[in-house]
Amino acid sequence: MTISARRLHRLLTTFHLGAARMLLLAGCLLAVGLACAAPAGAVVKVEKGTVVGLQPRNETTLFDGPLAFNELLGETELTSPNEFANTLGNPVVHGSAVYAVYWDPTYHYHDDWKEKIDEFLQKLGGASSSLNDFMAVDTQYTDKTNKPAYNRVTFRGAAEDTEAYPVSGCTDPHPIKEKKVLHTYPLGCLTDQQMREQLQHFIALHGLPTGLNTIYYLLTPPGLTVCLNGGGAAGHCSDFSASKEEEEEGFFESSSYKTSFCSYHSDYNPGQLSTGDGNTILYSVIPWTAGGFHDGDFLEADQKQADNCQDGRFNQEPGKGWEKAPVQQEPNQPAACPSVIGDGFCDTGLVDVIINQIAEEQENTTTNPLLNAWQDPLGNEATDECRNFMGPVKGSYGAVPATGAGTLYNQTIGEGKYYINDAFNLSALRLTYPGIPCIGGVNLQPKFTAPNPVNAGDIVSFDGMESNITLNSAYSYNSSGSPAENYATYKWSFGDGSPEVTGYAPGAPVCSEPWLSPCAASVFHAYAYGGQYTVTLTVTDVGGNTESTSQNVTVIGPPPPSPSPSPSPSPGGSTTGSTATGTTTATPGSTPAASHPEAVPAPVATAVIVSRSLKSTLGKAGLVVRYAVNEQVAGRFEVLLPSSTARKLGITGPAAAATAAGAAPQVVIAKAILVTTKGGSNIVHIQFSKRTVARLRRLRSLTLTLRLSVRNAASHVPTSTTVLASTKLSH
């Protein structure tokens, strides 16, 4: 789906029901006759302190980043990206080991469904640290350790729990119809407490690990309903009831439908629910909410589609009406249908609905494991911000004749094709470009275009803003544990032994004034000698992902003195970038002593006048100069003014030594000493005398020349380099 189409969907979608996550806690005030039921998206408190992140059924909401969505429609509930936050820096999951547990003592969970689920989890683990899947988006979300929610998944396998179901602890609002010939019948109704107790028992029985780096998926077959309370028509259950009139209207008005869910995740560790420790159990309950579409095990009444647990019909074929489009997508349905193995029905593709639920719970558990980390004030978790958004899609909109389902997919993980809810990209709401809030993977592509061949001493520029960086802005946490702004960084190596340049790009507040802060998305550089140099740009996004690209630059001029300077940067040579312009020439000289037959290379130095305003130059700032050297040096800066201009203004000063060939005579009107202990770069502010300032203020504009003369300070064989730069200043 194109970006313009995404924004059109925002305008056309008017069914904004609010949050999709429910907070569930004890009681419901049943003693005074008050019901628990509330609209999908409300904050609901249910029993025994259990808090869950819920995925409710939903066919009326399409979110392409609701923080932007609400603002676009003039709503004021959530208008700032700062409202999707982890204010206290609570834990996220720094990589997870995953187990799939099928609680299936009656053998109702089909083998082909299990195979597809296990394959998905295995492929997700095989693609760990890839930038191409939905989990890569989550690396922008950190906790107060400043470690991201890594997309590192290890599938530790699947297991069967064959222990019999306990006596039902709730009332199924809509039990499936019995079909004796195929052994299809209701299996019962279990509460979250019963599900959690069974998982605890299973973990202890097999000595399985716990803690914030292990996630369990507890899956149940068709016919087994899970409720978060007592169930029934007003309960929060994985199934729902509806009258004939409500069915004809699409279930939307059914109170049972509104409080039903597709899956949920939670955690269990009494006493450590807010911080977690090694005893914490992270789990997701994935009931069978994929319906029975084209599954002959079910009677017609239960052969329903389950698009309300998939994409809510929003990715229908363009130009077709809501009811006409094939609404359930099954990219994993085998082409051979009916199947020649298994049960002979066209029902393998139903598992794509379940796989989507697992994917959503994996993302939400990773970014909000204890239900107190990344969410907005309404309780929306990461996938809730992109509810029912599954683009861009590939595959066929048209229904497969044998199944009646479509074959759309938007994720390729390994060789598997999957139809998965997009991930929420908070970076898109913090910086304008690329600005896509719901995506299925990230881009990190450093790019710049090399200049044409230049002469030694010419200033050349390199623009890293050609780079495509999805995760370009996020939050880190300072020493007090409060969130702080974080941005992608750019690092340049010029290939001539000069210090590397590191900094940020426009849009970062710290990059508002290049001469005061580390701005390095675009940089300037001057080469002292001729030759071919390899320039390398390395970009690191806010998720810690790093990529590099290189281009060659040809410089025309005399080669470096023999032996050539090492191409490796000097130790400690870190620097920051500059956006200044000007002209620079370098004149190296080498004067080795006669007793030392081996020549010592002259130091490499560059200098750029950053100042552009005559007013600020004559004020407290002085003449602002950025310089860089490749080793320990000693020397001085001299500011030169043409002798003719100096005479007219009544400014006196010593005559400047030889400058560029053919240049007019100059006088020195200001000086500054330079002494370094190692290679690197810095800023120097060169001040003028009060008398000189008073006379220069008479001018509307002024051209100044800067001369930097340095010598090798660490060697007993003195060598020297002189750098000239000029600029025109005006008010």
Side-chain angles (χ1 to χ4, degrees):
M1 184 175 291
T2 64
I3 295 174
S4 60
R6 303 175 77 138
R7 290 171 180 164
L8 178 62
H9 267 291
R10 292 182 189 172
L11 290 170
L12 294 178
T13 305
T14 58
F15 300 103
H16 175 215
L17 298 185
R21 171 179 167 258
M22 295 182 178
L23 302 180
L24 301 164
L25 185 46
C28 288
L29 302 177
L30 293 176
V32 292
L34 298 181
C36 285
V43 176
V44 181
K45 297 181 179 181
V46 198
E47 57 186 338
K48 297 187 178 178
T50 300
V51 182
V52 306
L54 207 66
Q55 300 295 321
R57 281 181 172 79
N58 193 319
E59 284 186 333
T60 58
T61 303
L62 175 67
F63 285 169
D64 186 7
L67 297 179
F69 173 88
N70 288 353
E71 188 174 18
L72 186 64
L73 293 182
E75 299 178 15
T76 58
E77 283 181 322
L78 299 170
T79 59
S80 167
N82 296 329
E83 294 187 78
F84 188 85
N86 182 10
T87 307
L88 299 179
N90 288 323
V92 298
V93 175
H94 309 300
S96 59
V98 170
Y99 293 88
V101 179
Y102 299 95
W103 193 5
D104 184 31
T106 59
Y107 197 16
H108 278 81
Y109 217 107
H110 296 189
D111 294 344
D112 51 349
W113 298 340
K114 293 177 181 178
E115 177 187 3
K116 295 299 181 182
I117 292 171
D118 297 347
E119 282 182 355
F120 167 71
L121 291 172
Q122 183 194 55
K123 292 181 188 299
L124 189 63
S128 287
S129 301
S130 167
L131 300 182
N132 297 324
D133 65 64
F134 66 100
M135 290 294 294
V137 185
D138 298 332
T139 57
Q140 67 191 291
Y141 300 116
T142 59
D143 56 25
K144 60 185 175 184
T145 68
N146 278 325
K147 294 180 180 179
Y150 286 120
N151 56 325
R152 298 173 183 169
V153 177
T154 301
F155 177 50
R156 289 196 175 172
E160 299 292 324
D161 186 347
T162 59
E163 188 161 331
Y165 297 130
V167 175
S168 292
C170 49
T171 300
D172 188 344
H174 183 71
I176 64 172
K177 304 298 182 182
E178 184 174 359
K179 193 173 185 180
K180 295 181 179 179
V181 66
L182 292 175
H183 306 285
T184 300
Y185 50 86
L187 300 176
C189 183
L190 302 180
T191 65
D192 170 69
Q193 182 176 352
Q194 289 176 302
M195 300 293 289
R196 186 177 66 241
E197 288 175 351
Q198 180 61 24
L199 180 60
Q200 289 177 267
H201 170 72
F202 188 82
I203 290 172
L205 181 65
H206 299 284
L208 298 175
T210 56
L212 291 178
N213 295 107
T214 304
I215 300 174
Y216 289 92
Y217 288 96
L218 188 54
L219 300 103
T220 57
L224 193 286
T225 296
V226 178
C227 294
L228 297 168
N229 53 12
H236 299 280
C237 300
S238 59
D239 202 352
F240 66 93
S241 61
S243 67
K244 290 184 178 181
E245 291 78 10
E246 289 168 337
E247 286 191 16
E248 291 175 357
E249 293 296 324
F251 307 121
F252 303 148
E253 300 305 316
S254 164
S255 60
S256 179
Y257 175 88
K258 290 178 180 179
T259 59
S260 66
F261 61 82
C262 304
S263 64
Y264 65 88
H265 76 97
S266 190
D267 64 290
Y268 181 74
N269 186 0
Q272 294 291 336
L273 288 176
S274 62
T275 58
D277 61 16
N279 295 317
T280 297
I281 297 175
L282 301 181
Y283 68 97
S284 291
V285 174
I286 315 290
W288 184 261
T289 53
F293 192 43
H294 277 269
D295 187 337
D297 286 344
F298 299 96
L299 290 174
E300 184 177 353
D302 295 314
Q303 290 182 350
K304 303 293 186 182
Q305 298 198 50
D307 53 292
N308 47 32
C309 283
Q310 192 180 63
D311 72 352
R313 302 191 188 187
F314 283 101
N315 279 304
Q316 60 185 355
E317 185 172 3
K320 286 196 174 183
W322 178 290
E323 297 83 3
K324 295 180 181 179
V327 293
Q328 190 155 306
Q329 306 302 327
E330 300 179 358
N332 281 291
Q333 175 61 45
C337 178
S339 173
V340 296
I341 60 174
D343 60 5
F345 296 120
C346 299
D347 58 5
T348 300
L350 294 176
V351 77
D352 283 299
V353 177
I354 301 299
I355 288 174
N356 177 49
Q357 291 304 309
I358 294 174
E360 292 190 72
E361 298 300 357
Q362 178 69 24
E363 184 180 5
N364 290 339
T365 301
T366 300
T367 57
N368 198 25
L370 304 177
L371 296 150
N372 59 5
W374 288 97
Q375 56 189 292
D376 69 25
L378 298 181
N380 287 304
E381 297 181 286
T383 63
D384 301 322
E385 302 290 352
C386 297
R387 174 62 53 224
N388 288 333
F389 206 96
M390 324 280 280
V393 293
K394 300 178 182 179
S396 173
Y397 283 97
V400 177
T403 67
T407 60
L408 298 182
Y409 65 95
N410 64 342
Q411 290 273 305
T412 301
I413 304 175
E415 297 179 354
K417 297 176 181 178
Y418 302 102
Y419 192 59
I420 293 173
N421 204 102
D422 281 353
F424 178 54
N425 174 26
L426 181 59
S427 295
L429 303 187
R430 290 176 48 76
L431 288 179
T432 302
Y433 189 86
I436 302 177
C438 296
I439 51 180
V442 304
N443 292 318
L444 180 56
Q445 301 168 335
K447 294 180 182 178
F448 68 97
T449 301
N452 297 130
V454 297
N455 296 318
D458 289 346
I459 292 182
V460 293
S461 61
F462 304 98
D463 189 3
M465 290 299 286
E466 300 174 20
S467 304
N468 186 351
I469 308 168
T470 302
L471 304 183
N472 51 18
S473 178
Y475 296 98
S476 57
Y477 292 84
N478 57 30
S479 57
S480 64
S482 299
E485 294 176 329
N486 186 24
Y487 298 90
T489 58
Y490 299 70
K491 181 173 70 174
W492 297 88
S493 173
F494 300 108
D496 62 352
S498 61
E500 292 180 333
V501 172
T502 302
Y504 302 106
V510 293
C511 191
S512 59
E513 296 178 321
W515 55 93
L516 297 177
S517 58
C519 297
S522 65
V523 294
F524 292 84
H525 189 68
Y527 289 93
Y529 306 108
Q532 188 173 76
Y533 300 89
T534 300
V535 180
T536 300
L537 167 63
T538 301
V539 175
T540 302
D541 68 18
V542 295
N545 306 299
T546 298
E547 295 288 345
S548 298
T549 187
S550 297
Q551 301 282 349
N552 290 328
V553 176
T554 299
V555 180
I556 302 170
S562 179
S564 300
S566 169
S568 301
S570 302
S574 62
T575 185
T576 56
S578 170
T579 58
T581 59
T583 58
T584 303
T585 59
T587 307
S590 179
T591 55
S595 58
H596 296 274
E598 189 173 321
V600 175
V604 176
T606 61
V608 177
I609 299 174
V610 177
S611 298
R612 288 292 171 268
S613 167
L614 180 58
K615 181 178 180 180
S616 63
T617 298
L618 300 179
K620 293 182 180 181
L623 187 69
V624 182
V625 177
R626 180 182 292 280
Y627 71 89
V629 294
N630 71 326
E631 58 181 304
Q632 180 181 354
V633 299
R636 64 180 178 177
F637 297 94
E638 294 177 326
V639 181
L640 310 181
L641 182 68
S643 298
S644 57
T645 304
R647 285 195 299 271
K648 291 179 182 178
L649 296 174
I651 297 175
T652 60
T659 57
Q666 309 274 320
V667 296
V668 180
I669 62 172
K671 297 180 181 179
I673 301 299
L674 174 64
V675 178
T676 69
T677 58
K678 60 181 180 180
S681 71
N682 211 333
I683 294 287
V684 64
H685 297 256
I686 304 175
Q687 303 291 336
F688 299 91
S689 69
K690 292 183 179 180
R691 178 185 176 87
T692 299
V693 168
R695 283 160 171 73
L696 291 178
R697 280 180 175 159
R698 303 173 188 174
L699 302 177
R700 296 180 62 85
S701 63
L702 173 66
T703 298
L704 293 177
T705 299
L706 174 76
R707 178 166 62 188
L708 170 61
S709 301
V710 297
R711 63 178 177 82
N712 186 318
S715 172
H716 53 277
V717 180
T719 58
S720 63
T721 294
T722 298
V723 173
L724 295 174
S726 62
T727 191
K728 184 175 182 179
L729 305 173
S730 58
H731 285 288

